[in-house]
């Protein structure tokens, strides 16, 4: 499998930007790494451990700090798990999952199971919304609510058609 990065130097530079973004958000947090059958998944955890669980997912070519920035105050009311989606420029494995099967749903449920979460709320934008849809299609039993912002696959209209109508 080809790396997302053209060099180790480029990878270090991207991850340095990741760390800068997270530090700039000033959200108290800790890292957790979940070993899944698809590779290690990095998660940024914030909020009170006794608060209801909320998993947030970033869009394509993104990372967990971008998801936290998109939903900046969730940690005040929820135990937030900001997921670094696989095969994106972040701290999770570079494993590319198929979008035409339930791999993303299985992957997310592995994470939910390892974290032993129930009644999970999911929030995601763009590609993160697609992953949430795949998660719900695979098994919705542990999901309480889902919030999708411009989810990929559903919101994929042709902007040129909109201009001509």
């Amino acid at each position: 499998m080809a790396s997302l990065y053209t060099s180790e130097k480029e990878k270090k530079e991207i991850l340095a930007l990741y760390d800068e973004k997270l530090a700039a958000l000033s959200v108290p947090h800790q890292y957790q790494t979940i070993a899944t059958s698809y590779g290690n998944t990095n998660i940024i955890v914030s909020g009170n451990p006794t608060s209801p669980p909320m998993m947030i997912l970033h869009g394509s070519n993104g990372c967990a700090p971008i998801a936290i920035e998109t939903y900046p105050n969730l940690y005040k009311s929820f135990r937030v798990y900001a997921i670094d989606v696989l095969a994106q420029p972040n701290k999770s494995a570079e494993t590319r999952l198929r979008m035409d099967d339930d791999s993303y749903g299985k992957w997310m449920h592995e994470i939910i199971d390892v974290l032993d979460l129930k009644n999970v709320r999911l929030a995601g934008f763009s590609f993160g919304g697609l992953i949430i849809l795949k998660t719900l299609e695979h098994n919705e039993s542990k999901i309480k609510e889902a919030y999708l912002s411009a989810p990929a696959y559903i919101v994929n209209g042709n902007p040129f058609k909109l201009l001509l109508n």
Side-chain angles (χ1 to χ4, degrees), residues 59-74:
S60 62
N61 294 316
C63 58
I66 299 297
I68 294 169
E69 181 180 48
T70 302
Y71 308 107
N73 295 309
L74 286 177

Side-chain angles (χ1 to χ4, degrees), residues 127-143:
F127 185 54
L130 173 64
I131 294 170
I132 290 171
L133 288 173
K134 295 290 187 177
T135 303
L136 293 169
E137 286 175 356
H138 178 69
N139 180 358
E140 63 183 52
S141 67
K142 294 182 180 178
I143 311 303

Side-chain angles (χ1 to χ4, degrees), residues 25-43:
L25 297 173
S26 300
V27 172
H29 67 278
Q30 60 197 32
Y31 287 107
Q32 185 166 357
T33 302
I34 302 288
T36 73
S37 60
Y38 300 96
N40 286 342
T41 301
N42 183 66
I43 303 170

